[in-house]
Amino acid sequence: MTKQEIIDKTNLFLVEEYEKQPEQLKPEARFREDLDLNSLDYMDLMVTVKRAFGIMPAPQEMNLVVTLGDFYDFIERKLNEQSKQTDEQQ
């Protein structure tokens, strides 16, 4: 999955499931301050990530995510790790 596909998919579920406006979804947007996501939203977000990307982030990993750009990078990194593990098992 390309970085742009990750961005598009993430932005789509933020608009559809979290009722965020597309113009809010900039890489520098901060989850808590700019997107107004709280700790309950973070828990829901982990389930959404599992459903959308097939990865389940640990809560402590999500604590390191501050901006939407961090989130895109985090998903990309987790998907790459998952792909490497799959390749090594084959």
Side-chain angles (χ1 to χ4, degrees):
M1 180 173 287
T2 68
K3 180 77 167 259
Q4 190 59 52
E5 289 170 327
I6 291 168
I7 292 168
D8 293 345
K9 196 173 209 179
T10 300
N11 289 355
L12 181 63
F13 68 67
L14 286 170
V15 168
E16 290 181 352
E17 297 184 33
Y18 296 88
E19 300 177 354
K20 302 303 169 192
Q21 298 302 312
E23 58 271 7
Q24 292 178 281
L25 305 178
K26 299 175 182 160
E28 64 274 7
R30 296 167 297 175
F31 270 79
R32 293 182 195 272
E33 295 85 353
D34 301 323
L35 299 178
D36 198 32
L37 296 174
N38 60 38
S39 55
L40 288 177
D41 292 323
Y42 269 50
M43 298 304 287
D44 289 340
L45 193 57
M46 288 190 296
V47 173
T48 303
V49 168
K50 171 72 172 161
R51 188 179 51 226
F53 297 103
I55 55 174
M56 185 65 171
Q60 63 270 24
E61 291 176 309
M62 288 299 294
N63 289 335
L64 302 174
V65 173
V66 177
T67 67
L68 193 51
D70 294 339
F71 190 62
Y72 300 144
D73 293 341
F74 171 76
I75 292 171
E76 182 178 40
R77 186 173 63 253
K78 294 298 278 186
L79 288 173
N80 286 336
E81 288 171 8
Q82 184 181 51
S83 177
K84 282 183 185 178
Q85 287 177 352
T86 301
D87 290 344
E88 288 172 2
Q89 291 174 355
Q90 293 179 356

